Amino acid sequence: MTVTEGGIIEIPMGVLVEAGLYIGEKLLAISDGAGRITLRRAMDAIEGLLRDGTL
């Protein structure tokens, strides 16, 4: 994958399907500070934030 000048990354559909993600699903991108980016379903992230106080 490549980051475009506009900051867009295209993820292959096979990877998204394997992760159980669907077209139009809202995601949250979080940097874990170790050079990795984590994608989470927005609703899962919100529920975790409300339940545990962390993303």
Side-chain angles (χ1 to χ4, degrees):
M1 293 177 272
T2 303
V3 179
T4 68
E5 290 180 17
I8 296 171
I9 299 172
E10 291 185 10
I11 301 173
M13 183 59 80
V15 173
L16 298 174
V17 169
E18 187 175 313
L21 300 173
Y22 301 99
I23 293 172
E25 192 159 18
K26 303 292 183 193
L27 301 176
L28 180 67
I30 305 167
S31 172
D32 69 4
R36 291 180 294 242
I37 297 171
T38 300
L39 295 177
R40 293 194 63 195
R41 287 180 187 86
M43 289 306 300
D44 291 348
I46 291 168
E47 288 173 4
L49 182 59
L50 293 173
R51 182 184 60 245
D52 307 323
T54 61
L55 293 173

